[in-house]
């Protein structure tokens, strides 16, 4: 057993748990809550994690399939009891470089990053509001703060998640449900391993998962890391468009 103290949840569900941030968080929770349900499409990776763990249970799932999400939510609750923490870490990143605007890329990004989250919220929100308890964390990105080069598809899904969370938070809070939005900077995961551009303050995934867990324990609304980078990105939101576009042209589009 782990020596780390128990955490304030009994049943956690992490979607997007087969790699990266979701997998690192699952390992941090393992042995510190009664059950950690882990979902993603790669059943083999989930099963291997389950084998090597004390409390992880694999629930393979494609988050874009609303019916499968509903069945999965019910299966977890039937087996492990009421879910009191949901972490939505499933995501996909595809570059968009003009003039190539491929609708299929935008649709895939929206289906996974945005509608996937909505599919889970459709199950968790009514259930948790009825119980007046529960916690949900949506992993968005600083790429949702302002438009960034190459991120027209990815960034718009993340901006939509930030707006969605802001819209739902007050009514959920009034019914005792905690909703957090997580906006990481660059984290060293399979998602960023493909990038061919500089990634300032790239963070090791285990450090990022620790920061995420601390934010969840505090029930913070917005959880960001590494702060030096994410606060600089946040400040960009205050800049007039002309200044922002000058910065993008000068520092991000230089060949
Ligand atoms: N890494 C960064 O720098 C960074 C920065 C800001 C935000 N984020 C966000 O953090 C989250 C985690 O990303 P990561 O960096 O840890 O990347 P990652 O290692 O690629 O993890 C993405 C996870 O999403 C799962 N997934 C993808 N499509 C899915 C689907 N249709 N249904 C269910 N699960 C699906 C993947 O598993 P399967 O392929 O097995 O389905 C995987 O477990 C994402 O939302 C990402 O946008 C990452």
């Amino acid at each position: 057993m782990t020596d780390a103290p128990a955490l304030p949840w009994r049943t956690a569900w992490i979607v997007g748990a087969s790699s990266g941030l979701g997998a690192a968080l699952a390992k941090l929770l393992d042995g510190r809550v009664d059950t950690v349900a882990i979902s993603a499409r790669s059943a083999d990776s989930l099963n291997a994690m389950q084998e090597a763990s004390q409390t992880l249970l694999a629930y393979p799932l494609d988050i874009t399939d609303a019916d499968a999400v509903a069945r999965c939510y019910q299966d977890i609750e039937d087996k492990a009891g009421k879910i009191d923490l949901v972490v939505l870490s499933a995501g996909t990143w595809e570059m968009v470089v003009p003039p190539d605007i491929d609708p299929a890329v935008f649709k895939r990004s929206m289906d996974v990053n945005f509608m996937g989250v909505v599919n889970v919220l459709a199950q968790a929100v009514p259930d948790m509001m009825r119980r007046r308890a529960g916690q949900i964390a949506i992993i968005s990105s600083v790429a949702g703060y302002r438009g960034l080069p190459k991120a027209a598809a990815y960034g718009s899904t993340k901006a939509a998640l930030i707006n969605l969370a802001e819209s739902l938070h007050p009514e959920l809070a009034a019914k005792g449900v905690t909703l957090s939005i997580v906006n990481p900077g660059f984290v060293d995961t399979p998602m960023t391993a493909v990038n061919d551009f500089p990634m300032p303050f790239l963070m090791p995934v285990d450090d990022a998962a620790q920061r995420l867990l601390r934010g969840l324990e505090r029930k913070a609304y917005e959880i960001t890391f590494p702060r030096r980078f994410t606060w600089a990105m946040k400040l960009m939101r205050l800049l007039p468009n002309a200044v922002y576009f000058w910065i993008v042209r000068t520092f991000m589009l230089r060949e």
Side-chain angles (χ1 to χ4, degrees):
M1 286 295 281
T2 172
D3 291 335
L7 292 165
W9 309 287
R10 294 184 65 176
T11 303
W13 183 27
I14 305 175
V15 189
S18 64
S19 67
L21 200 46
L25 180 68
K27 285 173 192 156
L28 279 182
L29 297 188
D30 187 21
R32 299 179 67 189
V33 299
D34 292 349
T35 303
V36 187
I38 48 173
S39 291
R41 291 163 306 175
S42 318
D44 289 352
S45 307
L46 298 177
N47 289 333
M49 288 171 70
Q50 176 179 314
E51 298 262 302
S53 82
Q54 306 169 56
T55 52
L56 305 192
L57 279 186
Y59 286 86
L61 174 70
D62 184 336
I63 200 176
T64 64
D65 180 341
D67 293 337
V69 169
R71 280 195 303 276
C72 185
Y73 193 87
Q74 199 53 56
D75 286 351
I76 296 167
E77 293 216 328
D78 289 348
K79 175 139 195 200
K82 286 293 174 193
I83 297 171
D84 46 19
L85 173 68
V86 175
V87 178
L88 290 158
S89 193
T92 183
W93 149 240
E94 290 185 76
M95 277 185 221
V96 173
V97 182
D100 292 332
I101 304 291
D102 180 355
V105 170
F106 285 74
K107 182 167 177 355
R108 268 199 302 273
S109 306
M110 217 21 127
D111 283 350
V112 177
N113 297 359
F114 184 75
M115 285 310 299
V117 167
V118 173
N119 289 339
V120 173
L121 294 181
Q123 303 307 314
V125 168
D127 182 38
M128 290 182 174
M129 283 180 87
R130 210 176 305 117
R131 288 189 276 134
R132 292 182 164 265
Q135 189 167 354
I136 303 169
I138 298 170
I139 308 213
S140 178
S141 167
V142 294
Y145 287 162
R146 287 203 80 149
L148 291 167
K150 301 185 179 171
Y154 179 80
S156 16
T157 67
K158 298 300 188 180
L161 289 176
I162 292 171
N163 193 292
L164 171 150
E166 224 168 82
S167 169
L168 293 179
H169 180 267
E171 281 160 291
L172 268 63
K175 296 283 184 190
V177 179
T178 304
L179 177 64
S180 301
I181 190 83
V182 184
N183 292 322
F186 291 112
V187 181
D188 193 1
T189 69
M191 183 177 279
T192 47
V194 299
N195 290 346
D196 60 355
F197 49 79
M199 293 184 278
F201 303 106
L202 181 71
M203 206 174 179
V205 70
D206 290 332
D207 293 355
Q210 289 277 6
R211 296 289 295 274
L212 171 56
L213 177 56
R214 256 183 275 151
L216 294 173
E217 287 183 273
R218 279 191 291 113
K219 296 187 166 192
Y221 171 64
E222 187 179 10
I223 302 168
T224 66
F225 44 82
R227 286 250 176 86
R228 272 175 301 177
F229 181 65
T230 60
W231 283 79
M233 294 302 288
K234 204 185 262 277
L235 279 176
M236 296 275 187
R237 292 205 285 200
L238 303 176
L239 296 178
N241 291 335
V243 177
Y244 179 66
F245 290 140
W246 178 83
I247 290 173
V248 170
R249 272 196 314 272
T250 310
F251 298 103
M252 299 185 205
L253 290 180
R254 250 186 342 205
E255 287 303 311

